[in-house]
Amino acid sequence: MESRKLSGAVVRDAVFAELSAGVASSDCQPGLAVVLVGDDPASRVYVASKGKACDKLGFHHVTHRLPVDTSESEVLDLIDSLNTDQDIHGILVQIPLPGHISEGRIQAAVDPRKDVDGFHPDNLGRLLAGQPRFVPCTPKGIVEMLRFHEVDLPGREVAIVGRSVIVGRPLAMLLSLKTVPGNATVTLCHSATRDLASVTRRADIVVAAMGYPGGLTREHIAEGAGVVDVGINRIDDPAAKKGYRLVGDVAPEALDGWASAYTPVPGGVGLMTIAMLMRNTWDAMQLQVGGS
Ligand code: NDP
Protein backbone atom coordinates (compact mmCIF):
# COMPACT_ATOMS: atom_id res chain seq x y z
CA MET A 1 0.00 0.00 0.00
CA GLU A 2 1.30 3.43 -0.96
CA SER A 3 1.01 5.72 2.08
CA ARG A 4 0.67 9.49 1.98
CA LYS A 5 2.86 11.28 4.53
CA LEU A 6 0.99 14.33 5.82
CA SER A 7 3.67 16.91 6.47
CA GLY A 8 3.19 19.33 9.36
CA ALA A 9 5.99 21.54 8.01
CA VAL A 10 4.11 22.67 4.90
CA VAL A 11 1.04 23.56 6.94
CA ARG A 12 3.14 25.36 9.56
CA ASP A 13 4.91 27.30 6.80
CA ALA A 14 1.58 28.36 5.31
CA VAL A 15 0.30 29.52 8.73
CA PHE A 16 3.55 31.38 9.41
CA ALA A 17 3.43 33.10 6.00
CA GLU A 18 -0.10 34.31 6.73
CA LEU A 19 0.86 35.54 10.22
CA SER A 20 4.07 37.26 9.02
CA ALA A 21 2.05 39.14 6.41
CA GLY A 22 -0.44 40.11 9.13
CA VAL A 23 2.31 41.42 11.44
CA ALA A 24 3.94 43.37 8.60
CA SER A 25 0.72 45.23 7.90
CA SER A 26 -0.39 45.70 11.52
CA ASP A 27 0.10 48.77 13.75
CA CYS A 28 0.25 46.55 16.78
CA GLN A 29 2.76 43.82 17.66
CA PRO A 30 1.38 40.59 19.12
CA GLY A 31 2.97 39.78 22.50
CA LEU A 32 3.32 36.37 24.15
CA ALA A 33 4.42 35.71 27.74
CA VAL A 34 5.59 32.23 28.65
CA VAL A 35 5.84 31.15 32.29
CA LEU A 36 8.17 28.26 33.03
CA VAL A 37 8.41 26.95 36.59
CA GLY A 38 11.25 24.52 37.30
CA ASP A 39 13.82 22.90 35.13
CA ASP A 40 12.09 20.13 33.19
CA PRO A 41 14.38 19.51 30.17
CA ALA A 42 11.53 18.81 27.70
CA SER A 43 9.70 21.96 28.85
CA ARG A 44 12.88 24.00 28.33
CA VAL A 45 13.08 22.74 24.74
CA TYR A 46 9.39 23.56 24.09
CA VAL A 47 9.76 27.04 25.57
CA ALA A 48 12.84 27.72 23.45
CA SER A 49 11.01 26.66 20.28
CA LYS A 50 8.10 28.99 21.13
CA GLY A 51 10.58 31.88 21.50
CA LYS A 52 12.16 31.05 18.14
CA ALA A 53 8.74 31.01 16.45
CA CYS A 54 7.97 34.45 17.94
CA ASP A 55 11.30 35.83 16.67
CA LYS A 56 10.62 34.44 13.22
CA LEU A 57 7.20 36.06 13.04
CA GLY A 58 8.12 39.38 14.65
CA PHE A 59 6.05 38.77 17.80
CA HIS A 60 7.13 40.37 21.06
CA HIS A 61 7.86 37.67 23.65
CA VAL A 62 8.97 37.38 27.24
CA THR A 63 9.85 34.20 29.13
CA HIS A 64 9.54 34.17 32.93
CA ARG A 65 11.76 31.39 34.24
CA LEU A 66 10.93 30.69 37.87
CA PRO A 67 12.72 28.31 40.27
CA VAL A 68 11.09 24.97 41.04
CA ASP A 69 10.26 26.02 44.62
CA THR A 70 8.24 29.09 43.54
CA SER A 71 4.97 29.15 45.49
CA GLU A 72 1.56 28.99 43.85
CA SER A 73 0.72 32.49 45.10
CA GLU A 74 3.88 33.89 43.48
CA VAL A 75 2.86 32.36 40.15
CA LEU A 76 -0.67 33.76 40.62
CA ASP A 77 0.80 37.24 41.27
CA LEU A 78 2.81 37.01 38.05
CA ILE A 79 -0.30 35.94 36.10
CA ASP A 80 -2.19 38.91 37.60
CA SER A 81 0.44 41.32 36.37
CA LEU A 82 0.53 39.72 32.90
CA ASN A 83 -3.27 39.89 32.72
CA THR A 84 -3.04 43.69 32.88
CA ASP A 85 0.13 44.12 30.80
CA GLN A 86 -0.90 45.95 27.60
CA ASP A 87 2.06 44.58 25.62
CA ILE A 88 1.09 40.97 26.34
CA HIS A 89 -1.84 39.50 24.44
CA GLY A 90 -1.23 35.82 25.13
CA ILE A 91 -0.14 34.01 28.30
CA LEU A 92 1.11 30.45 28.30
CA VAL A 93 2.00 28.59 31.47
CA GLN A 94 4.19 25.65 30.51
CA ILE A 95 2.95 22.37 31.94
CA PRO A 96 3.68 20.19 33.80
CA LEU A 97 3.95 22.46 36.84
CA PRO A 98 5.69 21.22 40.01
CA GLY A 99 3.37 19.10 42.18
CA HIS A 100 2.77 21.79 44.85
CA ILE A 101 1.14 24.10 42.28
CA SER A 102 -2.41 23.43 41.07
CA GLU A 103 -2.50 23.52 37.27
CA GLY A 104 -6.26 24.05 37.40
CA ARG A 105 -6.01 27.13 39.66
CA ILE A 106 -3.24 28.63 37.55
CA GLN A 107 -5.05 28.04 34.25
CA ALA A 108 -8.25 29.52 35.67
CA ALA A 109 -6.34 32.65 36.78
CA VAL A 110 -5.30 33.56 33.23
CA ASP A 111 -7.57 36.18 31.64
CA PRO A 112 -9.68 34.03 29.23
CA ARG A 113 -9.05 36.64 26.51
CA LYS A 114 -5.29 35.99 26.89
CA ASP A 115 -5.64 32.22 27.28
CA VAL A 116 -3.79 31.19 24.10
CA ASP A 117 -3.43 27.63 25.42
CA GLY A 118 -7.21 27.30 25.52
CA PHE A 119 -7.22 25.57 28.92
CA HIS A 120 -9.30 28.14 30.82
CA PRO A 121 -12.68 26.64 31.81
CA ASP A 122 -14.36 29.50 29.93
CA ASN A 123 -12.67 28.55 26.67
CA LEU A 124 -13.17 24.81 27.16
CA GLY A 125 -16.85 25.51 27.91
CA ARG A 126 -17.21 27.58 24.75
CA LEU A 127 -15.81 24.69 22.73
CA LEU A 128 -18.31 22.32 24.34
CA ALA A 129 -21.11 24.80 23.59
CA GLY A 130 -20.10 24.87 19.94
CA GLN A 131 -18.84 28.47 20.12
CA PRO A 132 -15.06 27.98 20.21
CA ARG A 133 -12.78 30.97 20.92
CA PHE A 134 -9.33 29.80 22.00
CA VAL A 135 -9.00 26.09 21.33
CA PRO A 136 -6.09 24.04 22.74
CA CYS A 137 -3.25 24.18 20.23
CA THR A 138 -2.61 20.49 19.55
CA PRO A 139 -6.20 19.50 18.64
CA LYS A 140 -6.64 22.74 16.74
CA GLY A 141 -3.45 21.95 14.82
CA ILE A 142 -4.62 18.42 14.01
CA VAL A 143 -7.85 19.74 12.52
CA GLU A 144 -5.97 22.41 10.56
CA MET A 145 -3.59 19.78 9.23
CA LEU A 146 -6.41 17.47 8.11
CA ARG A 147 -8.17 20.40 6.44
CA PHE A 148 -5.00 21.52 4.64
CA HIS A 149 -4.27 18.01 3.35
CA GLU A 150 -7.92 17.64 2.29
CA VAL A 151 -8.63 14.62 4.47
CA ASP A 152 -12.34 13.98 4.24
CA LEU A 153 -14.09 14.06 7.64
CA PRO A 154 -17.88 14.35 7.37
CA GLY A 155 -19.56 11.12 8.34
CA ARG A 156 -16.33 9.23 8.81
CA GLU A 157 -15.48 7.26 11.90
CA VAL A 158 -12.60 8.63 13.94
CA ALA A 159 -11.24 6.76 16.95
CA ILE A 160 -9.18 8.89 19.33
CA VAL A 161 -7.04 7.00 21.82
CA GLY A 162 -6.34 9.20 24.85
CA ARG A 163 -8.79 11.54 26.63
CA SER A 164 -6.56 14.25 28.12
CA VAL A 165 -7.76 17.85 28.27
CA ILE A 166 -4.71 18.78 26.20
CA VAL A 167 -5.40 16.49 23.26
CA GLY A 168 -8.13 13.84 23.14
CA ARG A 169 -11.14 15.49 24.75
CA PRO A 170 -11.01 18.83 22.90
CA LEU A 171 -10.21 17.01 19.67
CA ALA A 172 -13.32 14.85 20.09
CA MET A 173 -15.35 18.04 20.56
CA LEU A 174 -13.82 19.75 17.51
CA LEU A 175 -14.23 16.81 15.15
CA SER A 176 -17.84 16.26 16.17
CA LEU A 177 -18.92 19.92 15.82
CA LYS A 178 -21.56 20.50 13.19
CA THR A 179 -19.12 22.54 11.12
CA VAL A 180 -16.57 22.14 8.36
CA PRO A 181 -14.12 20.64 9.16
CA GLY A 182 -16.05 18.45 11.57
CA ASN A 183 -19.14 16.26 11.32
CA ALA A 184 -17.10 13.15 12.05
CA THR A 185 -18.43 10.25 14.08
CA VAL A 186 -16.06 10.17 17.02
CA THR A 187 -15.21 7.47 19.54
CA LEU A 188 -13.01 8.54 22.46
CA CYS A 189 -10.98 5.64 23.87
CA HIS A 190 -8.99 5.40 27.11
CA SER A 191 -7.36 2.88 29.38
CA ALA A 192 -10.72 1.43 30.48
CA THR A 193 -11.86 0.82 26.89
CA ARG A 194 -12.65 -2.86 26.46
CA ASP A 195 -10.99 -4.54 23.47
CA LEU A 196 -9.37 -1.38 22.13
CA ALA A 197 -8.30 -3.02 18.86
CA SER A 198 -11.86 -3.93 17.92
CA VAL A 199 -12.89 -0.27 18.36
CA THR A 200 -9.94 1.30 16.56
CA ARG A 201 -9.96 -1.23 13.68
CA ARG A 202 -13.45 -0.03 12.79
CA ALA A 203 -12.26 3.57 12.30
CA ASP A 204 -11.46 5.37 9.06
CA ILE A 205 -9.04 7.57 10.98
CA VAL A 206 -7.20 6.66 14.19
CA VAL A 207 -5.63 9.32 16.41
CA ALA A 208 -2.98 8.08 18.84
CA ALA A 209 -2.40 10.19 21.97
CA MET A 210 -1.50 7.62 24.61
CA GLY A 211 1.93 8.74 25.69
CA TYR A 212 4.19 5.81 24.95
CA PRO A 213 5.89 4.34 21.86
CA GLY A 214 4.27 1.37 20.16
CA GLY A 215 0.92 2.00 21.91
CA LEU A 216 -0.85 1.16 18.66
CA THR A 217 0.28 -1.52 16.22
CA ARG A 218 -1.12 -3.08 13.03
CA GLU A 219 -3.47 -5.05 15.22
CA HIS A 220 -5.23 -1.76 16.09
CA ILE A 221 -5.42 -0.16 12.65
CA ALA A 222 -7.31 -1.36 9.58
CA GLU A 223 -5.13 -1.52 6.48
CA GLY A 224 -5.75 1.66 4.49
CA ALA A 225 -7.02 3.75 7.43
CA GLY A 226 -5.57 7.19 8.14
CA VAL A 227 -3.38 7.67 11.23
CA VAL A 228 -2.67 10.84 13.20
CA ASP A 229 0.23 10.17 15.54
CA VAL A 230 0.25 12.80 18.28
CA GLY A 231 2.84 11.11 20.47
CA ILE A 232 6.22 12.63 21.16
CA ASN A 233 8.53 10.24 22.98
CA ARG A 234 12.28 10.46 23.41
CA ILE A 235 14.10 7.18 23.04
CA ASP A 236 17.81 6.66 23.57
CA ASP A 237 19.78 6.35 20.37
CA PRO A 238 23.57 6.45 20.70
CA ALA A 239 23.83 6.85 16.90
CA ALA A 240 21.84 10.12 16.99
CA LYS A 241 23.67 13.43 17.44
CA LYS A 242 21.74 14.29 20.61
CA GLY A 243 21.87 10.74 21.96
CA TYR A 244 18.12 10.29 21.51
CA ARG A 245 15.48 10.45 18.82
CA LEU A 246 11.81 11.30 18.81
CA VAL A 247 9.17 8.69 18.03
CA GLY A 248 5.39 8.72 18.13
CA ASP A 249 2.87 6.48 19.87
CA VAL A 250 2.26 4.29 16.80
CA ALA A 251 4.57 1.44 15.79
CA PRO A 252 6.24 2.21 12.40
CA GLU A 253 4.83 -1.04 10.90
CA ALA A 254 1.32 0.46 11.20
CA LEU A 255 2.24 3.62 9.27
CA ASP A 256 4.26 3.63 6.05
CA GLY A 257 3.05 0.82 3.78
CA TRP A 258 -0.02 0.08 5.94
CA ALA A 259 -1.96 3.32 6.48
CA SER A 260 -3.40 5.24 3.52
CA ALA A 261 -2.06 8.46 5.09
CA TYR A 262 -0.24 9.28 8.31
CA THR A 263 1.40 12.13 10.17
CA PRO A 264 5.13 11.61 10.81
CA VAL A 265 7.01 12.09 14.10
CA PRO A 266 8.91 14.36 14.07
CA GLY A 267 7.60 16.73 11.41
CA GLY A 268 3.89 16.26 11.99
CA VAL A 269 1.51 17.34 14.73
CA GLY A 270 4.25 18.85 16.93
CA LEU A 271 4.94 21.60 14.39
CA MET A 272 1.23 22.36 14.23
CA THR A 273 1.01 22.87 17.99
CA ILE A 274 3.48 25.77 17.80
CA ALA A 275 1.82 27.17 14.68
CA MET A 276 -1.56 27.23 16.43
CA LEU A 277 -0.05 28.89 19.50
CA MET A 278 1.15 31.67 17.23
CA ARG A 279 -2.26 31.90 15.55
CA ASN A 280 -4.04 32.02 18.93
CA THR A 281 -1.69 34.82 20.03
CA TRP A 282 -2.46 36.75 16.87
CA ASP A 283 -6.19 36.20 17.39
CA ALA A 284 -5.86 37.26 21.05
CA MET A 285 -4.29 40.54 19.95
CA GLN A 286 -7.13 41.16 17.48
CA LEU A 287 -9.65 40.42 20.21
CA GLN A 288 -8.04 42.79 22.70
CA VAL A 289 -7.25 45.58 20.26
CA GLY A 290 -10.73 45.23 18.79
CA GLY A 291 -12.05 45.46 22.34
CA SER A 292 -14.76 42.81 21.91
P1 NDP B 1 -1.80 11.77 29.00
O1 NDP B 1 -0.83 10.87 29.70
O2 NDP B 1 -2.38 12.93 29.73
O3 NDP B 1 -3.02 10.89 28.48
C1 NDP B 1 -2.83 9.65 27.91
C2 NDP B 1 -4.17 9.09 27.55
O4 NDP B 1 -3.99 7.82 26.92
C3 NDP B 1 -5.08 8.85 28.76
O5 NDP B 1 -6.39 9.26 28.47
C4 NDP B 1 -5.01 7.33 28.98
O6 NDP B 1 -6.21 6.79 29.49
C5 NDP B 1 -4.83 6.87 27.53
N1 NDP B 1 -4.18 5.56 27.48
C6 NDP B 1 -2.98 5.23 27.97
N2 NDP B 1 -2.74 3.91 27.74
C7 NDP B 1 -3.82 3.43 27.08
C8 NDP B 1 -4.18 2.16 26.57
N3 NDP B 1 -3.37 1.11 26.66
N4 NDP B 1 -5.37 2.02 25.95
C9 NDP B 1 -6.19 3.09 25.80
N5 NDP B 1 -5.91 4.31 26.27
C10 NDP B 1 -4.72 4.49 26.91
O7 NDP B 1 -1.07 12.21 27.67
P2 NDP B 1 -1.25 13.55 26.78
O8 NDP B 1 -2.60 13.63 26.22
O9 NDP B 1 -0.68 14.70 27.49
O10 NDP B 1 -0.21 13.21 25.62
C11 NDP B 1 -0.40 12.08 24.79
C12 NDP B 1 0.78 11.99 23.83
O11 NDP B 1 0.76 13.12 22.99
C13 NDP B 1 2.14 11.98 24.49
O12 NDP B 1 3.01 11.15 23.74
C14 NDP B 1 2.59 13.42 24.42
O13 NDP B 1 4.00 13.55 24.41
C15 NDP B 1 2.01 13.81 23.10
N6 NDP B 1 1.74 15.23 22.95
C16 NDP B 1 2.15 15.78 21.79
C17 NDP B 1 1.90 17.08 21.52
C18 NDP B 1 2.31 17.62 20.21
O14 NDP B 1 2.44 18.82 20.07
N7 NDP B 1 2.51 16.74 19.21
C19 NDP B 1 1.27 17.97 22.50
C20 NDP B 1 0.78 17.28 23.67
C21 NDP B 1 1.04 15.95 23.88
P3 NDP B 1 -6.79 7.18 30.96
O15 NDP B 1 -7.40 8.54 30.81
O16 NDP B 1 -7.79 6.13 31.23
O17 NDP B 1 -5.60 7.17 31.88
Side-chain angles (χ1 to χ4, degrees):
M1 144 105 35
E2 179 118 4
S3 304
R4 194 154 68 104
K5 197 189 226 184
L6 306 178
S7 159
V10 290
V11 196
R12 185 263 327 261
D13 291 348
V15 172
F16 274 21
E18 176 200 312
L19 293 175
S20 295
V23 172
S25 62
S26 170
D27 297 334
C28 187
Q29 188 187 26
L32 174 69
V34 176
V35 179
L36 174 62
V37 188
D39 213 21
D40 178 63
S43 293
R44 277 206 319 246
V45 173
Y46 293 141
V47 167
S49 58
K50 286 159 190 170
K52 273 188 213 150
C54 285
D55 287 337
K56 194 164 178 173
L57 295 177
F59 286 20
H60 165 62
H61 67 99
V62 187
T63 301
H64 295 269
R65 292 188 172 78
L66 306 176
V68 69
D69 58 356
T70 305
S71 69
E72 186 176 297
S73 64
E74 286 171 309
V75 181
L76 289 169
D77 287 346
L78 173 59
I79 305 272
D80 267 355
S81 73
L82 295 171
N83 279 342
T84 53
D85 185 334
Q86 303 273 322
D87 295 331
I88 295 299
H89 305 101
I91 302 170
L92 180 147
V93 182
Q94 185 64 47
I95 50 173
L97 287 166
H100 64 279
I101 300 177
S102 153
E103 286 180 1
R105 272 196 292 273
I106 297 295
Q107 284 159 350
V110 172
D111 179 340
R113 291 164 18 117
K114 295 193 175 187
D115 171 39
V116 287
D117 247 346
F119 297 147
H120 191 286
D122 239 48
N123 286 317
L124 290 170
R126 280 172 176 263
L127 175 58
L128 182 65
Q131 297 153 13
R133 181 170 54 189
F134 295 118
V135 172
C137 301
T138 303
K140 181 173 170 147
I142 292 168
V143 173
E144 178 67 18
M145 206 175 172
L146 295 176
R147 190 194 62 76
F148 185 96
H149 288 293
E150 299 181 338
V151 174
D152 197 29
L153 284 171
R156 298 185 86 195
E157 286 216 39
V158 180
I160 302 171
V161 190
R163 59 176 159 188
S164 73
V165 171
I166 302 171
V167 186
R169 242 180 297 163
L171 181 63
M173 285 300 130
L174 273 179
L175 292 178
S176 56
L177 285 177
K178 197 169 180 175
T179 56
V180 179
N183 276 322
T185 303
V186 179
T187 307
L188 187 55
C189 309
H190 42 74
S191 64
T193 298
R194 230 180 283 161
D195 194 0
L196 179 68
S198 75
V199 179
T200 52
R201 262 201 315 265
R202 219 176 52 210
D204 301 302
I205 298 170
V206 178
V207 181
M210 306 161 83
Y212 53 93
L216 299 184
T217 63
R218 278 191 184 182
E219 182 210 349
H220 298 93
I221 295 163
E223 189 172 7
V227 179
V228 175
D229 192 351
V230 186
I232 300 186
N233 307 288
R234 277 187 194 204
I235 57 167
D236 292 340
D237 181 356
K241 214 162 106 190
K242 293 180 176 163
Y244 67 86
R245 64 195 164 87
L246 297 179
V247 299
D249 287 355
V250 182
E253 53 161 46
L255 299 171
D256 203 12
W258 183 260
S260 55
Y262 69 97
T263 63
V265 180
V269 175
L271 300 178
M272 291 308 301
T273 299
I274 300 242
M276 293 301 108
L277 173 67
M278 298 297 119
R279 181 176 279 168
N280 277 351
T281 304
W282 171 260
D283 290 346
M285 183 192 82
Q286 305 290 337
L287 181 71
Q288 288 156 55
V289 170
S292 50

